[in-house]
Amino acid sequence: MDFDINKIREDFPILKQNLYSGQLVYFDNGATTQKPNSVINIINEYYSKYNSNIHRGVHYLSEKMTQAYETARKTVKTFINANSDTEIIFTSGTTESINLVAFSFGEIFINEGDEILISEMEHHSNIVPWQMLCERKKAKLKVIKLNHFGELLLGELDELLTDKTKLVAITHVSNTLGTINPIKDIIKKAHAKGAYVLIDGAQGIQHQKVDVKDLDCDFYAFSGHKIYGPTGIGILYGKEELLNKMPPYKGGGDMIKSVTIEKTVYNELPFKFEAGTSNFVGAVGLDHAIRYVQNIGIDKIAEYESDLATYATDAISRIEGVKIFGQSPNKSSIISFNIENIHHFDAGMVLDKMNIAVRTGTHCTEPIMKFFGIDGTIRASLSFYNTKQEVDKLVEGIKKVKELFG
Amino acid sequence: MDFDINKIREDFPILKQNLYSGQLVYFDNGATTQKPNSVINIINEYYSKYNSNIHRGVHYLSEKMTQAYETARKTVKTFINANSDTEIIFTSGTTESINLVAFSFGEIFINEGDEILISEMEHHSNIVPWQMLCERKKAKLKVIKLNHFGELLLGELDELLTDKTKLVAITHVSNTLGTINPIKDIIKKAHAKGAYVLIDGAQGIQHQKVDVKDLDCDFYAFSGHKIYGPTGIGILYGKEELLNKMPPYKGGGDMIKSVTIEKTVYNELPFKFEAGTSNFVGAVGLDHAIRYVQNIGIDKIAEYESDLATYATDAISRIEGVKIFGQSPNKSSIISFNIENIHHFDAGMVLDKMNIAVRTGTHCTEPIMKFFGIDGTIRASLSFYNTKQEVDKLVEGIKKVKELFG
Amino acid sequence: MTINEIQDQIIEEFSIFDDWLDKYNYIIELAEDVPVIEEEHKTDVNLISGCQSKVWLNAELVDGKIHFKADSNAIITKGIIALLLRVFNNREPKELIDFDLYFIDKIGLEQNLSPTRANGLLSMVKQIKLYAIAYNSKLNN
Amino acid sequence: MTINEIQDQIIEEFSIFDDWLDKYNYIIELAEDVPVIEEEHKTDVNLISGCQSKVWLNAELVDGKIHFKADSNAIITKGIIALLLRVFNNREPKELIDFDLYFIDKIGLEQNLSPTRANGLLSMVKQIKLYAIAYNSKLNN
Ligand SMILES: Cc1ncc(COP(=O)(O)O)c(C=O)c1O
Ligand SMILES: Cc1ncc(COP(=O)(O)O)c(C=O)c1O
């Protein structure tokens, strides 16, 4: 299939939206992505024709909905090349996936004095759950530091990894700096020391091929809404052997085999971790979002986005007074920057009025801000439906901002 | 407004669906409810026009989406008459709401030797979280028993409530027996003993007026998908004073005020309990579901459903060999029954082929099954869009089942 | 007859039904043909528990062939068991290791063997295969 | 002038803009009018923290009137502060206890005072009211 940007843009109704004085330029893809018609329509269709609770139903609709839900699981399994369906847990998003591991893995694997290793570039969702776990279990949180290009100081990894390190929780791609971490190496080193590894894939999965078998990660977490799917659905991939050892996270319907007041027997994987009514329509939406990505081809997407990011980085960095944060050669299509003497919030407000949606602030990564000694950035995060013309509008916008506040 | 059943049915596209040999008769409303066009359309509209991540955005779409999300919170607040928006927490459903309380309330209020009181008619989602908590905290789980009408033996409440009882967790309406519990009395008695009360409102909220201020409950939990809203969204109401004392449940974005690796300051209510990207489109869907219910009027709904349930109970119980489980005078529109010498699963399969969707099995309430010495029932759960003609079809279906297996 | 010949025969038999209730009626009749497991063999070991219906399955190797006995507390499930055993019963282990079970789909009962339908039938088919493998290696030792 | 007279005046002034950037340009100019809080008063006590921009507000009662000084690290926020202080500054406490703030909506800046926009402005308006209440009860004692 050819990568036809005009045809692709046709698939996303919101991109035709007019804001104040012209067409939306949506560069806030790191926060959430837009949905293709195939996703919007399937949600509509399932609510209109097949909506029914899953798993325990004897009737037609329930059967149909259950099949769609389990098909979604298979789609995810194939997409990330997991060994089996049972390794794919539906959650409400990356944050819940990480909290699930922090609780359930934590309950059984983390004891007083153990260490958990994260990095200075983590999203709060991959910091706070570990802080909470460390507090509960009297364990220690350790940190891989950054350099000024926004890369991890992996030279220090050998020292940071000790016999007490039980888990390394690291982001695949930094949502603020765009840095793509060499996770395969990190996983190998951690495993050599006997530590397990969780990858926060919130910004990884939608931009490049992820093969959990090849990576050999123990957990991989991501959100549906960041890969063109609906809100309220996410994935935790976990190795079956580990998931089997972990106690359940939430209790309720569907995660049990039998219940008496005295004793409850938990269900097998993946249901053990899916308590209560799942977001089954959300799962179907995610299924179709992934199919959409597969249809284009994740490698084609990566190539196009990389090209666009290079173009944007080049254009933005030519503007005088602009400083880009995150300059690793291994970068995703996320560009964080500030304009000299102009508050990021002021810039964002003016860009907004020029119909350009960027994010401003700390992007839920305060430790990165502290490292760079700033209190926020302007972040343009690009997706495969964005264009160079849109980048040009952003450049124009930045110039206008400079003029206004100059 | 007049209750015009034909007009109402027009609002639900799925009700026109043809299955094997005729129009769907959907009597599985206890499992999940169908969605009116207003809900389906608003989801479509938000994904097509306004989709954007909430709370931290400086741009138009983000502002728009945030407002819609916070408006949804206000709608819920008004609907259940809470004191303030800050008492309305968005969760993924009843099960998560209860687990949140089990964890966060549990962390601070439950100590070794304390007691939690539930009932024999609880859904697994209101049993297992408490079992898990009791195991973690070495607390004790106690149970209010049933009588053969499917009512709670509240005479024993005075003995069951002790100085050690910290929480009573009880369902508003039994999803299997239909019993409407006298929760206002139970709450009063529990409070008199110094115990807090959580009400599982999964089957309560959609069928009758719920006023949390009048009830004076400490927590009230329900699911969006059971009140004509989308999947993946639910509510926890909690008294502000209590929620303020409770530590957060999940860690991540949006629930923090500031994060350093060393120390995290949590955000205020309700955000403290909403870690990560919320199901914001789901919240908007729930908003419109509640508006739909408000437009008809919850009292009108209750009246119509009560009438329909009486008709159905009467008709079903006239069939020879049918035994109804749950015969409280205070009943919701849920009718559980078995047919003599016929397995509920066989009956369900045949009814399905007659286009009638009922649920069969334990309905996630195994302790009720144990109490009645059965391993399942056939459950018809009725909603305001069902009709007497549909009930007649069910009666016909049951007769056919008897014929086939007779 | 081979496994496939019997499957084809069943498909042929079912081709006359164009009404679901007639089909179920026939399946209900078939339920009486199941070589019923003795009460004392209805033990937990032989129980294949679905969430919705229970299935018991017992196997014995007699003269190099596997004799199955089974039962279910739901009649339609039991009727389908009758069909399955008509195909699988009294065969040599090696015949049961690698087969293509297609008749269920063809007669429109695929829902009953879907992994999401918790009636125990899919597990029963898996169990039959496991017995076959076990007995086969026993015979070859 | 009364609070409302000033509000009407501002609405009048803004009515000439039909372009957002012109409007912002004007607000940016206004930012220079803010009675700026002294650096030593930019303490945590005076900080109203929004997630996106910071706002400092200091109040003093002089001759029965409240003198406000303020600042922000974002210019547009500061410009809006200038407008707010034009309305609220140097008034008797009782004037500031119960007022209807309508000009922000009318000039199209309502987003900046929405509870969901974390720029500190809404908190600042609340803070102004709190100061007024406190000083008022002080005056009446
Ligand atoms: C009484 C009761 N409680 C709790 C639940 C769980 O609700 P959910 O599965 O939406 O979390 C249900 C629904 O099945 C229910 O009927
Ligand atoms: C790197 C990273 N991790 C985790 C998250 C949290 O994802 P969600 O909010 O969908 O749970 C995000 C998204 O903001 C992210 O960018």
Side-chain angles (χ1 to χ4, degrees):
Chain A
M1 202 183 108
D2 231 36
F3 191 91
D4 181 343
I5 181 71
N6 293 321
K7 250 179 85 187
I8 282 169
R9 287 178 66 85
E10 281 295 314
D11 292 334
F12 292 82
I14 207 170
L15 299 179
K16 295 183 200 114
Q17 179 86 327
N18 276 311
L19 303 192
Y20 307 96
S21 56
Q23 210 174 16
L24 167 67
V25 174
Y26 187 76
F27 280 153
D28 196 15
N29 295 289
T32 201
T33 54
Q34 298 306 337
K35 320 307 170 201
N37 281 319
S38 62
V39 170
I40 299 173
N41 293 342
I42 203 78
I43 292 170
N44 197 315
E45 186 177 335
Y46 268 80
Y47 278 133
S48 303
K49 289 191 182 164
Y50 308 117
N51 174 62
S52 177
N53 211 330
I54 54 174
H55 284 154
R56 290 153 308 214
V58 67
H59 58 81
Y60 177 87
L61 292 180
S62 176
E63 191 74 33
K64 182 98 188 166
M65 197 70 238
T66 305
Q67 267 165 21
Y69 181 72
E70 292 302 328
T71 299
R73 201 191 299 279
K74 284 199 199 337
T75 299
V76 175
K77 180 220 148 203
T78 307
F79 187 57
I80 64 172
N81 195 29
N83 266 312
S84 136
D85 293 8
T86 51
E87 300 184 319
I88 307 297
I89 315 287
F90 283 113
T91 66
S92 62
T94 307
T95 301
E96 177 163 278
S97 298
I98 296 174
N99 277 275
L100 190 165
V101 176
F103 182 84
S104 297
F105 176 91
E107 277 293 283
I108 183 131
F109 286 99
I110 304 295
N111 295 302
E112 188 168 342
D114 284 343
E115 295 173 1
I116 291 166
L117 185 58
I118 62 170
S119 92
E120 205 172 3
M121 67 162 74
E122 298 311 313
H123 187 280
H124 296 163
S125 289
N126 201 26
I127 301 176
V128 185
W130 309 116
Q131 290 179 327
M132 288 166 68
L133 171 62
C134 285
E135 202 179 303
R136 218 163 52 239
K137 294 283 186 173
K138 302 195 173 62
K140 200 173 158 196
L141 194 63
K142 290 174 77 176
V143 180
I144 311 172
K145 297 275 178 191
L146 284 176
N147 70 20
H148 272 84
F149 297 108
E151 296 169 311
L152 294 181
L153 293 176
L154 291 175
E156 299 181 357
L157 197 55
D158 289 332
E159 276 158 61
L160 286 167
L161 281 169
T162 74
D163 293 343
K164 292 189 171 167
T165 314
K166 290 289 149 63
L167 186 86
V168 179
I170 210 102
T171 196
H172 191 169
V173 173
S174 161
N175 65 308
T176 299
L177 304 167
T179 318
I180 304 173
N181 288 316
I183 50 173
K184 200 171 166 177
D185 288 357
I186 298 174
I187 292 163
K188 203 177 279 170
K189 284 202 173 132
H191 283 175
K193 269 287 188 180
Y196 295 104
V197 182
L198 174 141
I199 302 296
D200 172 354
Q203 303 290 343
I205 192 77
Q206 66 281 57
H207 296 303
Q208 61 203 277
K209 177 78 199 133
V210 169
D211 180 331
V212 293
K213 227 180 285 174
D214 177 57
L215 289 171
D216 198 27
C217 54
D218 302 290
F219 302 103
Y220 193 97
F222 66 93
S223 298
H225 72 97
K226 291 191 200 273
I227 182 169
Y228 316 104
T231 54
I233 189 87
I235 295 293
L236 174 67
Y237 157 81
K239 283 190 188 157
E240 184 162 339
E241 182 205 338
L242 264 174
L243 292 177
N244 268 327
K245 286 185 186 150
M246 286 155 52
Y249 175 47
K250 297 189 280 191
D254 246 25
M255 57 70 77
I256 58 93
K257 195 154 242 159
S258 73
V259 170
T260 65
I261 300 291
E262 295 75 29
K263 188 175 161 36
T264 285
V265 181
Y266 299 126
N267 206 337
E268 48 204 40
L269 291 176
F271 311 112
K272 183 171 90 177
F273 290 107
E274 295 180 358
T277 301
S278 286
N279 185 354
F280 48 80
V281 177
V284 174
L286 175 57
D287 183 353
H288 285 255
I290 292 177
R291 286 174 200 222
Y292 184 86
V293 165
Q294 285 173 322
N295 264 345
I296 300 181
I298 188 80
D299 292 333
K300 285 244 172 69
I301 287 175
E303 196 187 315
Y304 179 88
E305 288 178 344
S306 162
D307 191 46
L308 189 64
T310 306
Y311 180 84
T313 306
D314 192 53
I316 293 169
S317 58
R318 275 171 203 274
I319 306 170
E320 222 191 277
V322 166
K323 182 169 165 28
I324 291 184
F325 298 90
Q327 296 175 307
S328 171
N330 253 324
K331 258 193 76 168
S332 187
S333 51
I334 289 171
I335 304 159
S336 261
F337 59 96
N338 269 330
I339 314 168
E340 212 175 5
N341 295 325
I342 298 175
H343 195 278
H344 48 88
F345 187 57
D346 282 327
M349 281 186 71
V350 170
L351 290 173
D352 170 52
K353 292 300 185 291
M354 298 179 75
N355 316 300
I356 302 167
V358 293
R359 193 136 292 233
T360 63
T362 66
H363 319 297
C364 290
T365 56
E366 290 186 19
I368 295 181
M369 300 301 129
K370 196 173 161 194
F371 173 79
F372 284 107
I374 53 182
D375 68 350
T377 73
I378 305 156
R379 182 186 75 179
S381 46
L382 284 43
S383 168
F384 63 83
Y385 44 60
N386 292 127
T387 65
K388 291 187 182 169
Q389 291 87 315
E390 288 180 317
V391 171
D392 295 342
K393 283 190 192 169
L394 173 62
V395 169
E396 223 177 277
I398 298 171
K399 287 180 179 158
K400 192 81 204 171
V401 167
K402 283 187 58 184
E403 232 177 273
L404 264 174
F405 296 98
Chain B
M1 203 183 110
D2 230 36
F3 191 91
D4 181 344
I5 181 72
N6 292 321
K7 251 179 85 185
I8 283 170
R9 287 179 66 86
E10 281 296 312
D11 292 334
F12 292 82
I14 207 170
L15 299 179
K16 294 181 202 115
Q17 179 87 327
N18 275 312
L19 304 190
Y20 308 95
S21 57
Q23 210 175 16
L24 167 67
V25 174
Y26 187 75
F27 281 153
D28 196 15
N29 294 291
T32 201
T33 53
Q34 299 306 337
K35 320 306 170 201
N37 280 319
S38 62
V39 169
I40 299 173
N41 293 342
I42 202 78
I43 292 170
N44 197 316
E45 185 177 336
Y46 267 79
Y47 278 133
S48 303
K49 291 191 180 164
Y50 307 117
N51 175 61
S52 178
N53 211 330
I54 54 173
H55 284 153
R56 289 153 310 214
V58 67
H59 58 81
Y60 178 86
L61 292 180
S62 176
E63 191 75 32
K64 182 99 189 166
M65 197 70 238
T66 305
Q67 267 165 22
Y69 181 71
E70 292 302 329
T71 300
R73 201 190 300 278
K74 285 198 200 333
T75 299
V76 174
K77 181 220 147 204
T78 307
F79 187 57
I80 66 172
N81 195 29
N83 265 313
S84 137
D85 293 7
T86 52
E87 299 184 320
I88 307 298
I89 316 286
F90 283 113
T91 67
S92 62
T94 308
T95 301
E96 177 163 278
S97 298
I98 296 174
N99 276 274
L100 191 166
V101 176
F103 183 84
S104 297
F105 176 91
E107 277 293 283
I108 183 130
F109 286 98
I110 304 295
N111 294 303
E112 189 168 341
D114 284 344
E115 295 174 0
I116 292 166
L117 184 58
I118 62 171
S119 92
E120 205 171 3
M121 68 161 74
E122 298 311 312
H123 187 278
H124 296 163
S125 289
N126 201 26
I127 301 176
V128 185
W130 309 116
Q131 289 178 326
M132 289 165 67
L133 170 62
C134 285
E135 201 179 303
R136 220 164 49 241
K137 295 283 185 172
K138 302 196 174 60
K140 201 173 158 196
L141 194 63
K142 290 174 78 176
V143 180
I144 311 172
K145 298 275 179 192
L146 284 176
N147 70 20
H148 272 84
F149 297 108
E151 298 169 310
L152 294 180
L153 292 175
L154 292 174
E156 298 180 357
L157 198 55
D158 289 332
E159 276 158 59
L160 287 167
L161 281 169
T162 74
D163 294 343
K164 292 188 169 167
T165 313
K166 290 290 149 62
L167 186 86
V168 178
I170 211 102
T171 196
H172 192 169
V173 173
S174 161
N175 66 306
T176 299
L177 304 167
T179 318
I180 305 172
N181 289 314
I183 50 174
K184 199 170 168 180
D185 288 356
I186 297 174
I187 292 163
K188 203 177 278 171
K189 284 203 172 129
H191 283 174
K193 268 288 189 180
Y196 294 105
V197 183
L198 174 141
I199 302 296
D200 173 353
Q203 303 291 343
I205 192 78
Q206 67 280 55
H207 295 302
Q208 61 203 279
K209 177 78 198 135
V210 169
D211 180 330
V212 293
K213 227 180 286 174
D214 177 58
L215 288 172
D216 198 27
C217 55
D218 301 290
F219 303 103
Y220 194 97
F222 66 92
S223 298
H225 72 96
K226 291 189 200 272
I227 182 170
Y228 316 103
T231 54
I233 188 87
I235 295 292
L236 174 66
Y237 158 81
K239 282 189 188 157
E240 184 161 341
E241 182 206 338
L242 264 174
L243 292 176
N244 268 327
K245 286 186 186 150
M246 285 155 52
Y249 175 47
K250 296 189 282 191
D254 245 28
M255 56 70 77
I256 58 93
K257 193 155 242 160
S258 73
V259 170
T260 65
I261 300 290
E262 296 75 29
K263 188 176 159 36
T264 286
V265 181
Y266 299 126
N267 206 337
E268 47 205 40
L269 290 176
F271 311 113
K272 183 170 89 174
F273 291 106
E274 294 181 0
T277 301
S278 286
N279 185 357
F280 48 78
V281 177
V284 174
L286 175 57
D287 183 353
H288 286 255
I290 292 177
R291 286 174 201 222
Y292 183 85
V293 165
Q294 286 173 319
N295 264 344
I296 299 181
I298 188 78
D299 291 333
K300 284 244 171 68
I301 288 175
E303 195 186 315
Y304 179 88
E305 288 178 346
S306 163
D307 190 45
L308 189 64
T310 305
Y311 180 83
T313 306
D314 192 53
I316 294 170
S317 58
R318 275 172 204 273
I319 305 170
E320 222 192 278
V322 166
K323 182 170 166 26
I324 292 184
F325 298 89
Q327 295 176 306
S328 171
N330 253 325
K331 259 193 75 168
S332 188
S333 51
I334 289 171
I335 304 158
S336 261
F337 59 96
N338 269 329
I339 313 167
E340 212 176 5
N341 295 325
I342 299 176
H343 195 278
H344 47 87
F345 188 56
D346 282 326
M349 282 186 70
V350 170
L351 290 172
D352 170 53
K353 292 302 186 290
M354 298 179 74
N355 316 300
I356 301 167
V358 293
R359 194 136 291 233
T360 62
T362 66
H363 319 298
C364 289
T365 55
E366 290 186 20
I368 295 180
M369 298 301 128
K370 196 173 160 195
F371 172 79
F372 284 106
I374 54 182
D375 67 351
T377 73
I378 305 158
R379 181 187 74 181
S381 46
L382 283 44
S383 167
F384 64 82
Y385 44 59
N386 291 127
T387 65
K388 291 186 181 169
Q389 291 87 315
E390 288 181 318
V391 170
D392 295 343
K393 283 190 192 170
L394 173 62
V395 169
E396 222 176 278
I398 297 171
K399 288 181 179 159
K400 191 81 204 170
V401 167
K402 283 186 59 183
E403 231 177 274
L404 263 174
F405 295 97
Chain C
M1 280 200 284
T2 66
I3 283 184
N4 286 0
E5 279 165 1
I6 296 188
Q7 293 199 74
D8 294 338
Q9 199 184 52
I10 295 172
I11 293 166
E12 175 76 28
E13 278 169 31
F14 272 78
S15 66
I16 59 162
F17 302 119
D18 44 27
D19 179 291
W20 265 105
L21 296 184
D22 292 343
K23 204 186 277 183
Y24 275 173
N25 213 1
Y26 182 57
I27 293 172
I28 292 164
E29 276 173 28
L30 289 176
E32 295 182 4
D33 301 345
V34 173
V36 175
I37 195 168
E38 297 79 10
E39 277 304 316
E40 71 262 29
H41 283 146
K42 281 193 181 172
T43 59
D44 276 2
V45 187
N46 288 324
L47 178 64
I48 298 165
S49 198
C51 189
Q52 294 274 5
S53 61
K54 287 178 181 168
V55 171
W56 290 269
L57 178 72
N58 189 45
E60 261 177 82
L61 191 69
V62 181
D63 298 335
K65 290 186 172 172
I66 311 182
H67 289 217
F68 289 108
K69 287 183 178 170
D71 204 352
S72 172
N73 58 347
I75 302 293
I76 294 177
T77 307
K78 196 166 166 185
I80 298 170
I81 290 174
L83 290 169
L84 288 168
L85 289 195
R86 205 166 122 195
V87 174
F88 295 132
N89 213 0
N90 299 319
R91 296 199 175 270
E92 292 174 18
K94 68 176 183 332
E95 290 181 85
L96 296 180
I97 290 173
D98 198 26
F99 55 82
D100 176 22
L101 184 67
Y102 57 81
F103 85 91
I104 292 280
D105 271 41
K106 286 276 165 63
I107 64 176
L109 295 178
E110 64 281 3
Q111 279 180 20
N112 291 282
L113 261 90
S114 96
T116 54
R117 171 66 63 92
N119 58 2
L121 284 175
L122 185 66
S123 304
M124 176 181 159
V125 173
K126 282 188 190 155
Q127 195 62 44
I128 285 175
K129 226 173 241 194
L130 288 176
Y131 274 124
I133 292 168
Y135 284 130
N136 193 49
S137 70
K138 202 169 156 190
L139 284 177
N140 295 334
N141 278 344
Chain D
M1 280 202 284
T2 65
I3 284 183
N4 287 0
E5 279 166 0
I6 297 188
Q7 293 199 76
D8 294 338
Q9 200 183 53
I10 295 172
I11 293 166
E12 176 77 29
E13 278 168 33
F14 272 77
S15 66
I16 61 163
F17 303 118
D18 44 27
D19 179 291
W20 265 105
L21 295 184
D22 293 343
K23 203 185 279 185
Y24 275 173
N25 213 1
Y26 181 57
I27 293 172
I28 292 164
E29 277 173 28
L30 290 177
E32 295 181 6
D33 302 344
V34 173
V36 175
I37 195 168
E38 297 80 8
E39 275 307 314
E40 71 261 30
H41 283 147
K42 279 194 183 172
T43 58
D44 276 0
V45 187
N46 287 324
L47 178 63
I48 298 165
S49 198
C51 186
Q52 294 274 5
S53 61
K54 286 178 180 168
V55 170
W56 291 269
L57 178 72
N58 188 45
E60 261 177 83
L61 191 69
V62 181
D63 296 336
K65 289 184 172 172
I66 312 183
H67 289 216
F68 289 108
K69 287 182 178 171
D71 204 352
S72 171
N73 59 349
I75 303 293
I76 295 177
T77 307
K78 196 166 164 182
I80 299 171
I81 289 175
L83 290 170
L84 288 169
L85 290 195
R86 209 168 120 194
V87 174
F88 295 133
N89 214 358
N90 299 320
R91 296 199 176 269
E92 292 174 17
K94 66 178 184 331
E95 291 181 85
L96 298 180
I97 288 175
D98 197 25
F99 55 82
D100 176 21
L101 184 66
Y102 56 82
F103 86 91
I104 292 281
D105 271 39
K106 286 276 165 65
I107 65 178
L109 295 178
E110 62 282 3
Q111 279 178 22
N112 291 282
L113 262 90
S114 96
T116 56
R117 172 66 63 92
N119 58 3
L121 284 175
L122 185 66
S123 304
M124 177 180 157
V125 173
K126 281 188 191 155
Q127 195 62 45
I128 285 176
K129 226 173 240 193
L130 288 176
Y131 273 124
I133 292 168
Y135 283 130
N136 194 49
S137 71
K138 203 168 157 190
L139 285 177
N140 295 334
N141 279 344

